[in-house]
Amino acid sequence: ALMIEARSISYAYKETVALRDVSFGLPKGETLAVVGPSGCGKTTLLSLIAGLMPSTAGQLRVDGAPVQPRRPGTALILQDYGLLPWKTVRENVALGLRIRGMKPDAADQALREVGIADLAGRWPHQLSGGQKQRVAIARSLALGPDLLLMDEPFSALDALTREEMQDLLLSIWRRHRTSLVLVTHSITEAVYLGQQIMVLSPRPGQVVGLFRNPTVGD
Ligand code: ADP
Ligand code: ADP
């Protein structure tokens, strides 16, 4: 079964064509890395999958249904973390649970999973970049998503922290088998994390190739 099925989707911002004729299928539980230079349409593709805006052409299905805004199982993780500065780490992670009327207990479990249970009482400004990214991942994990969308999640981090976070993401994926779409400009990252690798060209937002990468697996 496919988590994402894209058939000839295109997107244009007024005159700017950002994506042209993109097709792919992401089987449930698998990972896709979308790689390409700045301006090739990576963020646009992720926004379409997240249902933030409708594609201007083509069909996009998520878990068998036409993509819709605020699908409960979809989690979007952005580069800038989006933590609320006036809430502690634990409260940042628990907030999504509270909004959905769920018990906040899953927050501590999620913080343990990303290895920062000991930082639950801190404020966001007391965290390093890598720690903030861990909080952002925990916040999504706590809700039990079946589709994780990540937009350049590690590019603001130093090289060592980035490698740590890539390993963390891989171990989380191995444990949960959450379908994952990771957008990156790093071919190294794409090869490390993507079972499929889609290469996009900025002229304009066209697929150069869609490759199977057998080196990411069990
Ligand atoms: P990437 O994430 O790969 O850098 P984007 O999806 O952000 O690429 O952008 C793809 C193309 O669409 C670029 O040419 C960019 O300038 C253009 N674009 C992105 N957002 C907007 C917008 N809100 N309005 C107009 N053009 C945009
Ligand atoms: P990075 O280079 O990974 O972003 P930092 O140099 O920002 O790391 O942080 C290194 C360590 O210092 C981390 O363990 C972090 O928790 C701690 N730290 C950073 N900023 C603060 C702060 N304002 N108050 C307390 N601890 C902090």
Side-chain angles (χ1 to χ4, degrees):
L2 292 177
M3 178 52 74
I4 303 174
E5 187 178 13
R7 288 174 185 260
S8 296
I9 55 172
S10 298
Y11 191 85
Y13 299 93
K14 300 215 169 99
E15 297 91 79
T16 311
V17 176
L19 281 178
R20 175 165 291 177
D21 201 19
V22 174
S23 298
F24 67 93
L26 178 67
K28 284 187 180 174
E30 291 203 5
T31 69
L32 167 71
V34 180
V35 66
S38 180
C40 71
K42 303 185 296 293
T43 299
T44 302
L45 179 60
L46 218 53
S47 305
L48 296 179
I49 298 169
L52 302 182
M53 55 206 198
S55 59
T56 39
Q59 280 110 48
L60 182 60
R61 299 175 76 81
V62 174
D63 198 15
V67 66
Q68 55 181 58
R70 281 181 244 124
R71 176 181 175 272
T74 299
L76 179 62
I77 298 182
L78 303 173
Q79 192 186 326
D80 73 355
Y81 320 122
L83 305 182
L84 300 176
W86 59 86
K87 289 193 181 287
T88 63
V89 165
R90 180 186 282 109
E91 279 307 308
N92 264 283
V93 175
L95 187 65
L97 294 162
R98 292 190 198 283
I99 287 172
R100 285 165 182 76
M102 294 153 77
K103 284 205 195 117
D105 308 6
D108 283 308
Q109 169 60 27
L111 285 169
R112 272 196 294 281
E113 237 192 300
V114 300
I116 52 167
D118 53 325
L119 304 183
R122 284 210 198 177
W123 303 96
H125 76 271
Q126 297 173 314
L127 303 178
S128 72
Q131 290 166 341
K132 283 181 198 162
Q133 186 58 271
R134 284 173 198 258
V135 179
I137 293 172
R139 189 182 45 192
S140 291
L141 283 183
L143 301 173
D146 59 6
L147 175 59
L148 210 52
L149 308 176
M150 303 180 94
D151 192 357
E152 303 263 6
F154 311 138
S155 32
L157 306 174
D158 63 86
L160 199 65
T161 309
R162 195 180 313 143
E163 283 175 25
E164 268 176 36
M165 294 304 295
Q166 289 166 352
D167 284 331
L168 173 69
L169 182 59
L170 207 51
S171 70
I172 289 170
W173 172 72
R174 290 212 170 98
R175 209 171 314 131
H176 295 276
R177 297 287 159 164
T178 309
S179 308
L180 171 70
V181 181
L182 175 88
V183 155
T184 177
H185 60 255
S186 160
I187 186 70
T188 314
E189 190 160 289
V191 165
Y192 196 58
L193 293 167
Q195 290 179 301
Q196 288 186 79
I197 299 174
M198 180 189 294
V199 181
L200 287 176
S201 159
R203 300 192 191 142
Q206 241 165 318
V207 178
V208 174
L210 183 59
F211 308 95
R212 276 244 136 232
N213 173 16
T215 64
V216 179
D218 312 311

